[in-house]
Amino acid sequence: MTKLTLISSAIFSVLCTQSALAATVTGTILDDKKNPIKNVSVHVHGKNQTVKSNELGEFSIDIDADSQLHISKDNYIDSRITVTESSNNVTVSLLPTSVETVVVYASALHKSSLEMISPVSVLSGDELRNKSKPTLGETLKGLPGVNASYFGPVSSSPIIRGLDGPRVKITQNGLDASDASRIGPDHATSSDSLSAEQIEVLRGPSTLLYGSGAIGGVVNVVDNRIPTNNIDDFTGAAEYSHDTVSNSNTVAAKLETGNDGFNFHFDGTKRSGDDYETPTFTVTDEDGDVETENSVENTFIDSETLNFGTSYVGEHLTVGFSYGSIETDYGIPGHEHHHEHDHEGETEEEHAEHEGEEEGEEVVFAQLEQDRWQGLVSYALHNNWIETINLRVGYTDYSHSEIEDGEIGTTFTNETTEARLNVEHKFADWHGMLGYHYSDSDYDAIGDEAFTPASITTSHALYLLEERVFGDVTVELGARIEDYKIDSNISAAEHHHDHDEEEVEEEEHDEESIAYSKSFTNVSLSAGAIWQYKPGHSIATSISHSERAPLSAELLSNGLHIATGTYELGLGYHIEDNEAHFEPENIKQETSTNLDISFRRFSGAFGYTVNFFYNDIKNFYFQENTGLVFDEEDGLESAVGAHDDAVAVYQFRSKDAELYGIEFDAHYQMTPNAMVKVFGDSTRAKLKNDEGNLPRLPANKLGSELQYDLGNLQLTLTGTHYFDQNDITAFESQTDGYTLFDAQANYQLGLGPVDAQLYINVDNLTDELGFVHTSFIKDKAPLPGRNIRLGVRGYF
């Protein structure tokens, strides 16, 4: 708190500075045929000032120093021009494009999606609303280079270029989502796509701004909880939809208003649904019997979210606060427990009753609760080299309880405090960002599945990001140094057994713990450039060096993880004579050297983006089958001759690995009303020295989309083929390919002051049976069958 007090004092001290209005800049905005363009946004970089051009393309905006104007409009390539106090009657020409251009907030330097050096995809507007699903993984899996972990449709996290979990950072407005999704695939992300304004996916290492947890990429969910632009009118939106595949209903609403610089935001969603249906498939139970299924049990959802925010937006100062709440109950498929009873001394009736219980399965579901507070202070200075000072702070209280037979079996909690201070500046011809990032995560797990001990993870980081324009080439350099520390108490027991209650009480009384603390210094460096070799065409390349320390789950795990059907051991354990000893020696950081090359065209009717990447990772952390199993009575033992109910023991190892591949998407505007897109990706991931493939590698995909606009009616047909996955490890099975067809129809209604839209989405049109290779429970939980989604949206 002392650090935050000093930061706040420094910020408010600059608020006392005085300045006077310097000049008014006027200009005209034209297209490539010299015709004026109306309703173009003209924004003063680093300030909270935006105006719109009139019918003649004219605009007028006030500046108080030499400034940069950011000029943008849908279906046109953004333009940035430098103006001075003497600038007047400037003329700006915008080139048309069939690619939507949006500002990428995760870039920190206010770049548009077409100006980014590192590959980025953005879902926003109607495209985001049409593709929105209950989880981030299912919402984003159609993007090139992105797949989903898929632990059923209610717990599915994004996979970027074959990396997920602790290597993909999920953020909300730039701050960590702070849930437990990185601990296990059955833990859902707490970010909701329904309330998002846009979702940004940064592929490749993004560790400079977001830390070592972003060595694989970043998914940033942007909403308007804290309004950063003045809201002059009372506006709102509402939506209702029904999905047939799970009999689910979703209601969402948003309200915004403002007056005299003060702004208010509210949004909320409620979603409820039953187990989802599938095409017919077979599954083998524990006794070896083959059963036929047409649905996946225990995949219901009941969720409520509520977000409130307020802000004051002045000419230079923005101050805001928000609160968000999530309460979600969702089923966890493949996570059932069986009753076992001692029948000695029972009557015949009691014996029959208990036999029925043994044959039945307890319903296990998760109860997720999160309270999240965020604050923002931003000040735009009148200074020759400091443009803005921006401070974001957040506190998140998260809990995830697994309910078994009506009682809490295990509870995971995580309290996170985070602060990010950015100072945007310009020095000579360089423009950049100097920042400080603080994070403190207090994680705990209590119960039968507490396979990871309680831990406190703290990090402090300084980072610098600079860019400079050399004619048609923009160069970007960056560096980050991070102090990362894990503190925990490790049980002195060498391995775990299940005992009766008396033995457990004795063990808890006698058990000792070992205080464990480990610090790492993570260093990240990057260099990149983008060459606009002609208007609407560019080549971008970047190289980065990133270091990542292990999460507590990767380092300290020692216990049964029922969701994945495995017994997990961390890097810190050594197995000797079928016993696990905690000997955390020579723990080395995971080190990534990543190269990206991108080719882009985004002007005119035809455009494309093609990305090639190569990622060399030393000391790559992954789970490897040890050849041992865990039995509740005997502990760790050889898999040969073990009991049928024993589970495989997987341990985190570190070995050198390499990942490489290609991502692409292309589009062609055939007519003013029709557009066709083609997209796809291919990722290869393997250990070096011919030691085999990495587990659960996403299948390659190839897809196409046809969009047709008939005025008030918009039609979309998408087909995506997922190829066979034969690049597997010794303990995996191959996964057959499948093809999914999705159709959408949106009809615009004009209801006076309300802009309404009726829509129907048909997912998996042909009712194809598909298994997801990246899923831990792929054989038990195929993708949903044909789903018809009916909905209505309204805006006012």
Side-chain angles (χ1 to χ4, degrees):
M1 291 303 295
T2 302
K3 290 189 174 103
L4 295 180
T5 302
L6 292 174
I7 292 170
S8 301
S9 300
I11 290 177
F12 282 104
S13 68
V14 302
L15 304 185
C16 301
T17 58
Q18 300 290 326
S19 61
L21 182 65
T24 299
V25 174
T26 60
T28 305
I29 303 172
L30 307 174
D31 63 17
D32 58 336
K33 297 178 181 178
K34 306 300 181 184
N35 297 317
I37 311 175
K38 65 177 182 179
N39 291 328
V40 180
S41 295
V42 181
H43 175 73
V44 180
H45 176 70
K47 307 288 194 297
N48 296 315
Q49 292 174 262
T50 301
V51 298
K52 298 280 189 179
S53 61
N54 61 20
E55 296 280 347
L56 300 176
E58 299 169 338
F59 70 90
S60 175
I61 193 165
D62 297 327
I63 64 170
D64 48 31
D66 292 352
S67 304
Q68 183 187 79
L69 299 184
H70 180 200
I71 301 159
S72 61
K73 182 176 173 60
D74 289 346
N75 302 320
Y76 290 90
I77 299 174
D78 291 10
S79 178
R80 298 179 188 268
I81 62 171
T82 300
V83 294
T84 66
E85 298 175 17
S86 60
S87 297
N88 205 3
N89 296 323
V90 298
T91 300
V92 181
S93 295
L94 296 183
L95 292 174
T97 177
S98 51
V99 178
E100 183 181 12
T101 60
V102 294
V103 173
V104 181
Y105 292 92
S107 70
L109 294 179
H110 317 285
K111 291 186 175 183
S112 75
S113 53
L114 302 182
E115 298 170 323
M116 293 285 291
I117 292 176
S118 59
V120 62
S121 295
V122 180
L123 280 182
S124 63
D126 287 339
E127 184 181 18
L128 171 58
R129 286 185 281 271
N130 290 333
K131 294 183 177 180
S132 178
K133 296 291 191 299
T135 63
L136 280 181
E138 293 305 289
T139 299
L140 302 173
K141 69 178 184 180
L143 297 176
V146 183
N147 289 274
S149 60
Y150 199 73
F151 208 90
V154 294
S155 181
S156 182
S157 300
I159 299 173
I160 301 179
R161 294 178 171 178
L163 301 177
D164 64 347
R167 298 179 182 88
V168 173
K169 179 85 75 171
I170 310 295
T171 63
Q172 185 257 330
N173 293 329
L175 295 181
D176 198 329
S178 303
D179 51 38
S181 60
R182 278 165 276 185
I183 300 298
D186 58 320
H187 296 243
T189 59
S190 59
S191 299
D192 194 331
S193 60
L194 278 176
S195 61
E197 299 288 328
Q198 66 185 49
I199 302 178
E200 305 162 349
V201 180
L202 277 65
R203 304 185 197 92
S206 302
T207 56
L208 288 179
L209 295 178
Y210 296 99
S212 59
I215 201 169
V218 169
V219 176
N220 185 39
V221 180
V222 180
D223 57 39
N224 202 37
R225 292 187 194 183
I226 302 179
T228 54
N229 289 312
N230 279 319
I231 303 171
D232 299 322
D233 301 314
F234 180 73
T235 63
E239 178 176 0
Y240 167 78
S241 66
H242 175 78
D243 291 82
T244 60
V245 76
S246 58
N247 191 33
S248 65
N249 295 284
T250 303
V251 179
K254 180 177 73 171
L255 297 172
E256 292 184 334
T257 189
N259 182 50
D260 198 23
F262 291 93
N263 309 280
F264 302 92
H265 170 94
F266 164 84
D267 72 74
T269 62
K270 180 174 176 58
R271 180 190 290 113
S272 61
D274 302 328
D275 294 345
Y276 73 90
E277 298 175 350
T278 69
T280 301
F281 72 103
T282 58
V283 62
T284 304
D285 63 18
E286 294 180 354
D287 298 324
D289 298 328
V290 177
E291 299 179 357
T292 300
E293 303 286 351
N294 293 99
S295 65
V296 178
E297 295 183 0
N298 217 25
T299 54
F300 69 89
I301 186 171
D302 189 357
S303 175
E304 293 183 6
T305 67
L306 177 68
N307 299 305
F308 168 80
T310 183
S311 68
Y312 170 77
V313 179
E315 183 180 355
H316 304 288
L317 174 67
T318 298
V319 179
F321 167 82
S322 72
Y323 166 76
S325 172
I326 300 174
E327 293 184 3
T328 300
D329 292 352
Y330 65 92
I332 306 176
H335 197 309
E336 294 83 14
H337 296 240
H338 293 266
H339 294 279
E340 292 186 4
H341 294 279
D342 183 0
H343 298 290
E344 185 176 352
E346 290 182 344
T347 65
E348 290 185 4
E349 291 181 356
E350 290 173 334
H351 182 82
E353 178 183 350
H354 286 162
E355 277 193 329
E357 288 181 1
E358 289 179 12
E359 293 176 359
E361 293 179 343
E362 301 176 13
V363 174
V364 180
F365 68 95
Q367 195 170 73
L368 185 157
E369 296 181 1
Q370 184 186 77
D371 293 303
R372 184 176 178 90
W373 292 264
Q374 286 189 341
L376 168 68
V377 178
S378 179
Y379 190 76
L381 285 79
H382 304 282
N383 191 291
N384 288 330
W385 67 281
I386 296 181
E387 294 182 341
T388 59
I389 297 177
N390 183 288
L391 173 66
R392 279 192 179 271
V393 296
Y395 172 77
T396 303
D397 186 359
Y398 168 92
S399 70
H400 169 110
S401 297
E402 295 186 354
I403 313 300
E404 306 174 12
D405 199 24
E407 298 182 356
I408 295 178
T410 308
T411 297
F412 303 86
T413 64
N414 190 24
E415 292 186 35
T416 302
T417 303
E418 188 175 8
R420 183 184 297 277
L421 175 66
N422 290 332
V423 179
E424 189 174 353
H425 60 270
K426 53 185 177 181
F427 182 75
D429 294 324
W430 290 89
H431 171 229
M433 181 81 70
L434 175 65
Y436 166 73
H437 186 200
Y438 165 79
S439 177
D440 180 87
S441 175
D442 187 348
Y443 165 82
D444 198 3
I446 303 171
D448 295 337
E449 290 188 51
F451 58 92
T452 302
S455 62
I456 297 176
T457 304
T458 307
S459 67
H460 301 266
L462 292 173
Y463 53 87
L464 180 67
L465 185 65
E466 299 289 335
E467 69 172 8
R468 181 175 176 178
V469 177
F470 298 88
D472 296 329
V473 177
T474 299
V475 174
E476 186 177 282
L477 304 173
R480 176 186 177 108
I481 184 169
E482 176 184 79
D483 177 67
Y484 180 95
K485 184 179 180 182
I486 296 178
D487 291 296
S488 182
N489 287 305
I490 311 301
S491 168
E494 293 179 343
H495 55 276
H496 290 268
H497 293 279
D498 282 350
H499 306 279
D500 59 37
E501 293 182 3
E502 292 182 2
E503 290 176 322
V504 169
E505 289 179 1
E506 291 178 6
E507 182 178 297
E508 290 179 350
H509 179 76
D510 297 333
E511 188 176 87
E512 297 179 358
S513 61
I514 302 171
Y516 176 75
S517 180
K518 179 68 175 178
S519 294
F520 300 87
T521 300
N522 301 316
V523 176
S524 299
L525 303 168
S526 72
I530 184 169
W531 176 30
Q532 305 278 354
Y533 60 92
K534 67 178 183 178
H537 298 70
S538 67
I539 299 175
T541 184
S542 63
I543 186 170
S544 62
H545 167 90
S546 307
E547 295 178 348
R548 183 177 82 88
L551 291 182
S552 59
E554 296 171 308
L555 182 61
L556 307 176
S557 291
N558 185 0
L560 183 64
H561 192 179
I562 298 177
T564 59
T566 60
Y567 189 95
E568 298 187 4
L569 284 173
L571 289 162
Y573 284 87
H574 173 68
I575 299 176
E576 183 178 353
D577 296 329
N578 292 347
E579 293 185 348
H581 304 265
F582 186 63
E583 300 175 359
E585 300 175 359
N586 300 320
I587 303 297
K588 297 180 180 179
Q589 292 142 295
E590 191 175 88
T591 303
S592 163
T593 301
N594 186 85
L595 175 66
D596 264 293
I597 301 177
S598 300
F599 300 88
R600 305 168 189 166
R601 171 176 171 159
F602 41 84
S603 65
F606 175 65
Y608 58 80
T609 299
V610 181
N611 305 318
F612 298 91
F613 69 92
Y614 177 81
N615 197 351
D616 183 285
I617 305 180
K618 293 184 178 180
N619 306 314
F620 182 85
Y621 309 143
F622 70 103
Q623 286 181 300
E624 185 176 60
N625 193 313
T626 61
L628 301 175
V629 295
F630 174 78
D631 182 81
E632 293 183 350
E633 296 181 358
D634 301 323
L636 303 183
E637 61 180 359
S638 172
V640 179
H643 293 93
D644 292 338
D645 58 353
V647 297
V649 177
Y650 280 76
Q651 182 171 21
F652 282 96
R653 311 280 196 190
S654 63
K655 295 182 180 180
D656 295 347
E658 59 181 356
L659 298 89
Y660 52 88
I662 180 175
E663 310 149 347
F664 67 90
D665 64 85
H667 66 273
Y668 177 60
Q669 189 82 43
M670 298 182 293
T671 70
N673 298 326
M675 176 186 287
V676 62
K677 295 182 178 180
V678 179
F679 58 89
D681 59 53
S682 175
T683 300
R684 188 78 174 89
K686 57 184 180 180
L687 297 172
K688 288 189 171 182
N689 302 319
D690 296 322
E691 292 196 48
N693 299 305
L694 290 177
R696 293 178 301 282
L697 179 64
N700 300 335
K701 68 172 178 276
L702 177 65
S704 181
E705 182 173 289
L706 175 63
Q707 300 175 357
Y708 200 82
D709 191 336
L710 294 172
N712 289 331
L713 178 63
Q714 295 85 42
L715 303 173
T716 303
L717 178 64
T718 306
T720 307
H721 178 70
Y722 293 83
F723 291 85
D724 297 346
Q725 182 53 279
N726 301 317
D727 297 327
I728 58 176
T729 64
F731 297 94
E732 287 185 285
S733 61
Q734 297 180 356
T735 303
D736 293 335
Y738 53 92
T739 303
L740 300 178
F741 289 98
D742 304 323
Q744 299 173 356
N746 297 339
Y747 185 75
Q748 307 292 332
L749 293 173
L751 302 177
V754 178
D755 180 14
Q757 183 183 89
L758 297 175
Y759 64 89
I760 178 171
N761 297 351
V762 183
D763 300 325
N764 195 1
L765 193 65
T766 60
D767 203 32
E768 178 90 349
L769 178 63
F771 294 92
V772 182
H773 187 74
T774 53
S775 174
F776 276 89
I777 55 171
K778 71 168 186 176
D779 296 324
K780 297 180 179 180
L783 290 170
R786 183 187 300 111
N787 176 48
I788 300 175
R789 183 182 184 189
L790 301 169
V792 58
R793 303 186 186 103
Y795 309 90
F796 61 90

